[in-house]
Amino acid sequence: DSGVTQTPKHLITATGQRVTLRCSPRSGDLSVYWYQQSLDQGLQFLIQYYNGEERAKGNILERFSAQQFPDLHSELNLSSLELGDSALYFCASSAPGVPLHFGNGTRLTVT
Amino acid sequence: LAKTTQPISMDSYEGQEVNITCSHNNIATNDYITWYQQFPSQGPRFIIQGYKTKVTNEVASLFIPADRKSSTLSLPRVSLSDTAVYYCLVGDGSWGKLQFGAGTQVVVTP
């Protein structure tokens, strides 16, 4: 158990809809990272937050947004969903200098 | 961030040692080398991290030559449960924009 909790584990929704994925980092970790993993692609870095502030941004679509709350949990919001957004979405957390620890992901299926 | 290159796949038999070499020619002075393991539909799991020479833990060993332009992950006496994708990453610990490569698919057969 990595200590990183992601909910829900599975999510099925229709095109055009909006969903929210939630991540609780390991106790004490201030950084949260979001990754997307499609079937035919590797792990794509989306965005990083550190103690509530956006720290780094990767290939995150404008339809996607994220935030980190004062209690350090994070949410990834995906809107105007398309079939191509179907993927595994992983959250990871870390402390400075400490390797990332990943949750077991949310599998999103857009129909 | 330093770009990494590793073999796409490796096959092994149970009980053998598996060595996966990762090239990172542009590694910076402050960069660490970190390896992750990923099973299907699970998040990557940290295996080992090192800066130079050799690091060993209960799961694997990591060999880093003096020039640090490559590293080798060694998995001793693999079992079927070691079948997974292994990723080599290089970063300075801030981990911002940390991008995973394609990884190495290791398949262990009886």
Side-chain angles (χ1 to χ4, degrees):
Chain A
D1 182 10
S2 69
V4 178
T5 304
Q6 290 189 248
T7 57
K9 290 184 180 179
H10 302 277
L11 200 50
I12 302 175
T13 189
T15 54
Q17 295 298 304
R18 171 189 169 95
V19 297
T20 297
L21 312 183
R22 182 188 169 101
C23 169
S24 294
R26 292 192 317 161
S27 177
D29 285 355
L30 299 181
S31 280
V32 169
Y33 307 74
W34 286 97
Y35 283 82
Q36 178 193 55
Q37 187 172 40
S38 305
L39 272 177
D40 57 349
Q41 293 189 14
L43 285 150
Q44 301 292 319
F45 169 73
L46 295 178
I47 198 163
Q48 177 204 359
Y49 278 83
Y50 177 82
N51 203 21
E53 300 289 326
E54 182 183 305
R55 178 62 64 92
K57 190 177 267 193
N59 300 323
I60 188 168
L61 299 172
E62 287 191 9
R63 300 184 285 110
F64 296 0
S65 64
Q67 55 183 327
Q68 185 180 26
F69 295 87
D71 67 353
L72 301 178
H73 92 271
S74 179
E75 293 181 356
L76 179 67
N77 300 297
L78 314 176
S79 61
S80 302
L81 285 168
E82 302 174 358
L83 296 178
D85 297 326
S86 295
L88 270 167
Y89 291 85
F90 291 106
C91 167
S93 74
S94 76
V98 176
L100 273 62
H101 286 76
F102 284 79
N104 276 327
T106 293
R107 181 177 293 281
L108 173 67
T109 302
V110 182
T111 62
Chain B
L1 296 173
K3 179 178 164 55
T4 60
T5 303
Q6 50 184 122
I8 293 175
S9 64
M10 296 184 74
D11 295 330
S12 180
Y13 292 105
E14 277 189 297
Q16 289 189 330
E17 179 181 78
V18 172
N19 296 306
I20 309 171
T21 296
C22 178
S23 297
H24 28 80
N25 291 319
N26 296 323
I27 189 169
T29 303
N30 295 334
D31 285 344
Y32 288 81
I33 301 154
T34 310
W35 285 82
Y36 285 85
Q37 174 193 56
Q38 187 180 27
F39 298 113
S41 299
Q42 293 187 25
R45 183 176 74 101
F46 169 79
I47 300 176
I48 198 166
Q49 181 182 63
Y51 183 81
K52 61 180 179 181
T53 63
K54 176 184 174 182
V55 179
T56 297
N57 62 21
E58 64 278 5
V59 176
S61 293
L62 178 59
F63 300 91
I64 306 168
D67 67 4
R68 304 201 325 124
K69 293 184 183 299
S70 67
S71 59
T72 298
L73 174 72
S74 180
L75 306 172
R77 299 179 298 283
V78 294
S79 63
L80 298 179
S81 63
D82 291 316
T83 293
V85 178
Y86 293 81
Y87 296 96
C88 161
L89 293 105
V90 173
D92 63 4
S94 63
W95 309 121
K97 295 189 178 182
L98 187 62
Q99 204 70 261
F100 285 69
T104 297
Q105 173 69 64
V106 172
V107 176
V108 181
T109 53

